[in-house]
Every structure is written in structure tokens, then in C-alpha cells.
Amino acid sequence: MKKQHNDSDFQSMPVEQQARKNNLSMFMIMMGFTFFSASMWVGQNLANGLNFNDFLIAILLGGIILGAYTGALGYVGAMSGLSLDLLAVKIFGKRGSYLPSAMITFTQIGWFGVGLAMFAIPIAKVAFGDSLTATYLMVALAGVCMTATAYFGIKSLTMISYVAVPCVAILGTVAMIMAIMQGDKGLIEQFETGEKTLGIVSGIGLVIGSFVSGGTATPNFSRFSKSGKSGLWITVAAFFLGNSLMFLFGAVSSAYVGGNDIFDVMINLNLFYLAVIVLGLNIWTTNDNALYSSGLGLANIFGAKKKHMVLIGGVIGTVAAVWLYNNFCNYLNILNCTLPPVGIILIIGYFHNKKDFDNQTGTKDFDINLGAVVGVIAGAVVANLVDFGIASINGMIVAALCYLIGNALTKKQ
């Protein structure tokens, strides 16, 4: 029993009730998770392609769908107390779980590296010109700091979130308002400039795709919620509010200064040091959550301690950061379509065996669930190759059908 209490991250067991966190802490963790600079790029694309009314509709409808997906995963994580990888062991089987663990690990280490470069490159450029040495030094420094906090697990993630969330939200909002006030047009009028060729359905798809892959890792954090109800609603609120802020920051920067994110707005307002703080904290929270998830995934595959795997993931992401930023962003966007099939199978698998999970008796040990594995592969293929509709939803539908058909066929045997 003593051994269980020493593992504050509950790598191989359900989170005990006495280790669950209060609602404010969970809200801060989940908000910090959603504060991701790449979502500002999506806001830029939305502003360039939609008028203001359609922009709001895309955020609202896309946010509802994304919130429903992540909220369901938040509920499953809180009710079971299990991480994504432990849920996968029970639903995909022990060896079958290696597939979702490898996918979440690969994607999250990739985004960790991209996040480091997103922090280092603009700061080095403003402060030191186009110095590669300064860029790499900045990447190394940020990589060490972010890996260190992820190493200490959920406790340090909570502390970072308490600092980062209010700072990013307040400073980013102030900068956004200042940019609008200094412009010669109002926000709605400013949105009307340029070609508006995106379409609402495509806009909704961008909103969902902005964080649907990262959102698949929601159980890794929601398992620390006090109850299933709080895990559900905190996740929905955090994803909706956090993502909406990121989209607005990106949209305003694009509309008024033509940059990628709120960093450009603050630089143009001569707020360099505040810009560094906002950009750094914004990326830090999401990067720590990404590295934490990759550590759990690697630990499941190799049977090692999560802390050691976090260090390995941090080193890989830091060393490859600039290369990932320059060569890997498009590939990571393809991978974004591969993780929603994992999430939908975890949701269906939990409710299909809810009594076992709720009673903490678990399901019988087994090696691999072929329906789940085929569902992930087929869902990823469809999501990436089918042109109509919304990619992530297409993938989830196919994955769910494959999983349910596979289970039905297995029961008949």
C-alpha cells in the first residue's frame, strides 16, 4: 500500500480518491493544456477565410463538437481513474495498447519539439536577428526547463498552470484590446477585408482539428478529478474557453498586424518582455502536458518508469525541435487525424464494460482486441484520404463501426 502512495502520478493503477484534485486545480490544468500557440495559427486561417459572423459560428459549433469528444474522455478518465494507456490496456489488450501508446507518444513528442521552436525562433529573431546559435541556445534552455517540470509530474503541471493560465489570459486579452483600439477599423469591419473562401464547414473542421489529437490524451489529466461529473464539465469548459481565446488571439493578430499570434501583436505594441512571458507560459503549459503524456505512453510500451521516459522524450524533442518545426508540421497535422479513432474506441469500450470499470474489477487480461486495432487503422486511413465532411469525425465513425463489429463477431465465436 505504501508503494502506491509514493507514485503520485499513478502510472500503473487508478488514481486513489484521496489523491484527486479540487475543481479549481483541475480547471487550471485543463485550461493550460488548451493554451497552445498552434491554435492561434488556426485563428489566423479562420480570420483570413471567414467573415466575423461565420468565424463565431465556426468557433461555437466546432467548440461544441470538440467539447463533447474531450468531455466524454474527461468523464471516462475521472470515473475510471485510469490514464489513456491503462484504459487502452483494458480495451485494446496488453499488446494492442502499444498502438495507441505509440501514436500518442510520437505525436506529443513531435508537438513538444515544435512548441520549443515556436518559442525560440521568434524570440531569437527579435532579440538577436537571424542568429542560428541564439535560436539553438534558446531551444536548449526552454527544453531543459520544460522537461524538468514535466519530470516532476502532475504536481509541477498544476503549479505551472496556476501561474500561466491567468497571465496568458489577462495579458493576451489586454494586448488584443489594445491592438483593436489602435486600428482604424472595428473588429467586424476588419474581418471583411481579404478573400473569404473558407466556408463554415471547413472552418468547423479546423476548429475541431486544432486540438482533437491532444484532446485524446484528456484521461491522463481528468483522472485526477473528484468525480465523473466534474471531469466532464471542467474539460468541456476549459476546452471551449481556452481554444476560443487562442482563436481570438490568432484572428486579431492576423486582422490587425498580419502576424501568426498574440506575440506579434505585443511586439508591435512595443511590449517585448511581456510578449516573451506570454509566449513562454503559453507554450510551457501545453508542452509539459504533451511530454507528460508521451512519458506515460513510453512507460506502457517499455515497462519503465514514467519519469525516465519523460527525460528521454524531452531530449528527443529538444534535439529535433528546429527540424520538426521546419519539416514535420504538415506530417503532424496528418497524425492529428489518427488519434480521434483511439479516443472514440476508448469511450465506447468504457461504456461497453462500465460495470467492470466502476467496480474496479477490470476486464480479464487479454493480448489484443483486433476490432479496436483495425478500427484505429481504418479510421486513420479514412480520416486522411476522404475529402468530404470533417476528417476527424469521419475517422471516429469508421473506428467505432469496426470496433463494434469486431466485438459482435468475437462474442458469436
Side-chain angles (χ1 to χ4, degrees):
M1 185 64 103
K2 193 173 182 178
K3 207 172 186 182
Q4 293 181 3
H5 289 290
N6 287 336
D7 180 12
S8 61
D9 288 301
F10 295 89
Q11 172 186 324
S12 56
M13 67 195 77
V15 177
E16 297 169 352
Q17 198 58 43
Q18 60 266 35
R20 305 290 180 107
K21 296 186 175 296
N22 61 54
N23 289 345
L24 178 59
S25 293
M26 288 308 306
F27 181 71
M28 289 294 183
I29 291 171
M30 297 310 294
M31 278 286 282
F33 187 29
T34 65
F35 278 8
F36 187 35
S37 288
S39 296
M40 296 189 203
W41 292 353
V42 174
Q44 180 185 17
N45 290 332
L46 291 172
N48 291 338
L50 298 172
N51 61 39
F52 190 69
N53 285 339
D54 290 347
F55 171 79
L56 292 180
I57 292 171
I59 288 180
L60 177 62
L61 296 181
I64 289 172
I65 295 170
L66 184 60
Y69 173 70
T70 55
L73 285 168
Y75 178 86
V76 169
M79 288 297 292
S80 66
L82 298 176
S83 66
L84 177 148
D85 303 280
L86 294 181
L87 285 166
V89 169
K90 291 182 176 295
I91 295 167
F92 284 76
K94 180 55 184 174
R95 279 201 303 163
S97 71
Y98 296 163
L99 176 61
S101 289
M103 290 166 63
I104 198 75
T105 296
F106 189 60
T107 307
Q108 296 306 298
I109 289 178
W111 279 121
F112 173 82
V114 170
L116 290 179
M118 287 174 67
F119 171 73
I121 290 173
I123 290 176
K125 187 172 183 180
V126 172
F128 307 104
D130 292 321
S131 170
L132 275 177
T133 302
T135 298
Y136 283 115
L137 285 174
M138 195 73 68
V139 165
L141 178 62
V144 169
C145 292
M146 293 178 190
T147 301
T149 49
Y151 175 84
F152 290 106
I154 196 69
K155 291 180 179 178
S156 60
L157 263 62
T158 306
M159 289 189 288
I160 291 291
S161 296
Y162 265 104
V163 174
V165 168
C167 282
V168 173
I170 293 170
L171 293 176
T173 301
V174 168
M176 182 174 62
I177 293 171
M178 289 174 66
I180 294 171
M181 290 176 65
Q182 291 190 14
D184 56 1
K185 295 179 181 178
L187 185 58
I188 296 176
E189 188 181 358
Q190 191 75 33
F191 259 76
E192 296 299 330
T193 60
E195 296 182 5
K196 302 299 177 181
T197 58
L198 186 60
I200 291 180
V201 173
S202 296
I204 292 170
L206 283 175
V207 170
I208 296 169
S210 67
F211 214 74
V212 72
S213 68
T216 304
T218 295
N220 289 341
F221 313 103
S222 68
R223 62 197 174 116
F224 289 94
S225 294
K226 290 285 187 184
S227 67
K229 185 177 179 180
S230 62
L232 167 65
W233 290 113
I234 287 171
T235 300
V236 170
F239 267 81
F240 190 81
L241 291 174
N243 267 358
S244 295
L245 272 178
M246 293 300 103
F247 297 143
L248 280 170
F249 290 168
V252 168
S253 68
S254 174
Y256 284 94
V257 301
N260 288 325
D261 53 42
I262 202 66
F263 178 82
D264 295 315
V265 172
M266 299 184 86
I267 292 298
N268 279 276
L269 293 169
N270 297 315
L271 301 173
F272 173 74
Y273 294 106
L274 287 179
V276 171
I277 292 171
V278 169
L279 183 64
L281 290 175
N282 187 19
I283 289 174
W284 199 324
T285 52
T286 307
N287 263 17
D288 266 13
N289 283 275
L291 201 54
Y292 180 84
S293 293
S294 67
L296 289 171
L298 287 172
N300 179 51
I301 294 170
F302 295 107
K305 288 187 176 181
K306 187 269 305 178
K307 286 186 174 183
H308 298 159
M309 296 297 99
V310 164
L311 292 178
I312 292 172
V315 169
I316 294 171
T318 302
V319 170
V322 176
W323 181 87
L324 287 167
Y325 181 83
N326 291 329
N327 299 283
F328 214 51
C329 283
N330 289 334
Y331 192 50
L332 283 170
N333 286 328
I334 292 172
L335 288 174
N336 282 351
C337 295
T338 68
L339 286 172
V342 171
I344 198 66
I345 288 174
L346 294 181
I347 294 167
I348 295 172
Y350 170 78
F351 285 104
H352 193 255
N353 300 286
K354 193 171 184 298
K355 185 183 291 186
D356 290 334
F357 280 97
D358 290 350
N359 293 334
Q360 296 298 331
T361 57
T363 52
K364 291 181 179 179
D365 291 337
F366 62 99
D367 197 36
I368 186 168
N369 183 319
L370 284 176
V373 171
V374 170
V376 168
I377 295 171
V381 170
V382 168
N384 281 292
L385 296 183
V386 173
D387 291 331
F388 65 87
I390 297 172
S392 54
I393 293 179
N394 293 341
M396 283 192 274
I397 292 171
V398 171
L401 288 173
C402 290
Y403 175 67
L404 292 171
I405 291 169
N407 277 2
L409 292 174
T410 302
K411 283 184 178 180
K412 285 183 179 181
Q413 293 176 355

